[in-house]
Amino acid sequence: SSSKCANCVPGTYQPEEAQLSCMPCVAGSYCGEGSSAPLPCFAGTFSSSSSLTSADECTTCPIGAACSTGATAPSTCNPGTYADEDGMSTCALCTPGEYQPDYNATGCVPCPEASYCPGYGSTSPTPCPGGTYSAATGLLSVLSCVSVVAGEWAPTGSSEPEQCPASGFTCPGRSADDVNDVPGSK
């Protein structure tokens, strides 16, 4: 005998016609008054609770994690990525020359001496190959590792070259070495 249908109260919704009640708004969303469908929490926010009444009730995503649209929980940043601000919708990739081995990171680490970090999203440094070296940090590619010259040699991951031993070895330098399996070794 009602003269009109009642609106669903905030925090509830009803997608069908001629119903007797409304359903609670689901986690990761909110429902204003009279909602016919849940609206997702905005990217950079999340909600594990149900029956939210507005987007303001969604929680800001913490640093070290990301929250996509409609998230019910923050997603941990994987190695090679980071989130250095609250409210990020995706984790950022480490740039070439840096890496991140940990989960939930808030930044990346410069690639250490005697190694390089190619591409985006490096999870560990790659050592300079035998016959090369580098004392610099933040190298972007193997081409940044310095080749040894005649009279020097360098094992994998060297920060500086070593002088060739006085007897029993030959150290022609990396570019002229056609004897060793790893050019520039001793």
Side-chain angles (χ1 to χ4, degrees):
S1 65
S2 179
S3 61
K4 67 176 189 163
C5 292
N7 282 335
C8 288
V9 297
T12 65
Y13 75 104
Q14 181 51 259
E16 300 176 20
E17 294 179 6
Q19 298 299 307
L20 300 176
S21 64
C22 297
M23 299 181 284
C25 205
V26 297
S29 64
Y30 63 95
C31 300
E33 182 178 354
S35 292
S36 61
L39 296 172
C41 287
F42 297 122
T45 66
F46 73 99
S47 175
S48 57
S49 301
S50 59
S51 302
L52 298 186
T53 61
S54 74
D56 294 338
E57 292 179 323
C58 297
T59 305
T60 301
C61 203
I63 62 171
C67 300
S68 60
T69 301
T72 58
S75 296
T76 299
C77 289
N78 290 320
T81 67
Y82 68 97
D84 60 351
E85 298 176 6
D86 289 332
M88 290 185 68
S89 59
T90 59
C91 297
L93 292 171
C94 292
T95 59
E98 56 186 22
Y99 74 105
Q100 180 49 256
D102 301 325
Y103 290 90
N104 268 17
T106 58
C108 296
V109 181
C111 213
E113 284 185 2
S115 64
Y116 61 98
C117 299
Y120 288 89
S122 289
T123 59
S124 63
T126 302
C128 286
T132 68
Y133 65 95
S134 177
T137 60
L139 299 183
L140 309 177
S141 82
V142 68
L143 299 175
S144 299
C145 298
V146 180
S147 293
V148 295
V149 295
E152 297 176 343
W153 73 284
T156 299
S158 294
S159 59
E160 55 187 55
E162 298 182 29
Q163 293 301 311
C164 193
S167 65
F169 296 93
T170 179
C171 301
R174 188 167 190 236
S175 63
D177 192 345
D178 59 2
V179 175
N180 294 304
D181 287 339
V182 178
S185 59
K186 68 176 181 177

